[in-house]
Amino acid sequence: GAVVSQHPSRVICKSGTSVKIECRSLDFQATTMFWYRQFPKKSLMLMATSNEGSKATYEQGVEKDKFLINHASLTLSTLTVTSAHPEDSSFYICSASSTRDRGRGEQYFGPGTRLTVT
Amino acid sequence: AQSVTQPDIHITVSEGASLELRCNYSYGATPYLFWYVQSPGQGLQLLLKYFSGDTLVQGIKGFEAEFKRSQSSFNLRKPSVHWSDAAEYFCAVPGNTGGFKTIFGAGTRLFVKA
């Protein structure tokens, strides 16, 4: 149980275009989902916390107009990188907290999406 | 504020040798503690977690970790490392600033030599 999927796993796009990444909890309801960015050989950097039915909370320094997050249902959150630039190339990982486990901080991670902007 | 420190950026062990990855935390109360593993190009997989009770926690893949309150540590151990254990390991604690965020350590890269 507690499986999180991400789609696509890899995407290459041209500079100036937008890319949407989906994060789904497959067998549980996720009130809260998190989006991380990971640079090579670095730890995870939290970008934003998204709660179902409300606006995402962005971390300091993360451009909310550039990284649009939508959490339309208890099983789906999307991250859209708008007007992508080469510096947005990175590994993006989502995670989800089960409604049952929120207080403990346990998260279930997706497999990640490798974004390359050319 | 909560923090997690993994003092070792990378560790190399021989296959079959024992392993210990260090994790120290700063937390106001008894924390929940997690160890995650990340293989190259993959997401994170939960190895084990400590919530309460027995301070020695067993996880998947033969890993265990011991919570030591007096040392503010939660070190990860494995008695005999396999080549497939080569990966990045992250120690983590929940944040308390709301939003149920998780605070991750910087990670320790494990290399396994034949």
Side-chain angles (χ1 to χ4, degrees):
Chain A
V3 178
V4 176
S5 69
Q6 271 184 252
H7 178 78
S9 58
R10 291 178 178 272
V11 58
I12 301 173
C13 70
K14 294 189 175 183
S15 187
T17 62
S18 295
V19 175
K20 180 185 284 188
I21 302 170
E22 291 186 350
C23 177
R24 293 182 184 272
S25 57
L26 298 185
D27 51 3
F28 67 99
Q29 293 187 330
T31 311
T32 304
M33 288 184 169
F34 304 87
W35 286 96
Y36 296 87
R37 183 173 179 176
Q38 187 177 34
F39 294 97
K41 301 183 180 180
K42 296 292 185 182
S43 188
L44 282 72
M45 182 192 79
L46 180 65
M47 299 174 65
T49 303
S50 114
N51 292 294
E52 185 263 340
S54 62
K55 290 184 178 181
T57 302
Y58 289 82
E59 295 300 299
Q60 193 171 9
V62 178
E63 300 175 61
K64 58 184 67 176
D65 294 331
K66 179 165 192 61
F67 298 100
L68 301 179
I69 292 172
N70 182 273
H71 193 158
S73 77
L74 283 172
T75 59
L76 173 64
S77 176
T78 60
L79 167 67
T80 302
V81 183
T82 63
S83 187
H85 288 104
E87 56 265 31
D88 298 325
S89 298
S90 194
F91 193 55
Y92 293 87
I93 305 176
C94 75
S95 72
S97 290
S98 166
T99 51
R100 184 187 60 226
D101 295 328
R102 289 176 77 196
R104 296 175 170 179
E106 183 170 356
Q107 296 181 29
Y108 306 99
F109 286 83
T113 297
R114 171 71 60 192
L115 170 63
T116 303
V117 184
T118 60
Chain B
Q2 296 92 330
S3 65
V4 178
T5 302
Q6 292 180 247
D8 304 305
I9 297 174
H10 56 81
I11 283 182
T12 301
V13 299
S14 298
E15 190 169 17
S18 63
L19 169 71
E20 182 169 35
L21 301 182
R22 295 184 292 166
C23 172
N24 293 97
Y25 64 88
S26 172
Y27 200 85
T30 300
Y32 301 132
L33 293 155
F34 305 90
W35 273 100
Y36 292 90
V37 61
Q38 183 182 31
S39 297
Q42 301 295 316
L44 275 67
Q45 181 182 22
L46 179 68
L47 280 177
L48 47 78
K49 58 192 176 187
Y50 171 78
F51 289 156
S52 65
D54 194 344
T55 56
L56 184 62
V57 180
Q58 302 298 319
I60 63 171
K61 304 184 180 185
F63 285 92
E64 66 177 27
E66 187 171 12
F67 169 57
K68 293 185 177 180
R69 184 193 305 276
S70 61
Q71 299 177 19
S72 297
S73 69
F74 189 56
N75 294 348
L76 182 71
R77 301 193 295 247
K78 186 169 184 177
S80 178
V81 169
H82 188 261
W83 64 265
S84 60
D85 294 324
E88 187 89 22
Y89 291 81
F90 294 97
C91 183
V93 298
N96 70 350
T97 54
F100 306 99
K101 301 176 190 178
T102 295
I103 310 296
F104 288 92
T108 299
R109 169 75 63 178
L110 173 64
F111 297 94
V112 180
K113 60 182 181 181

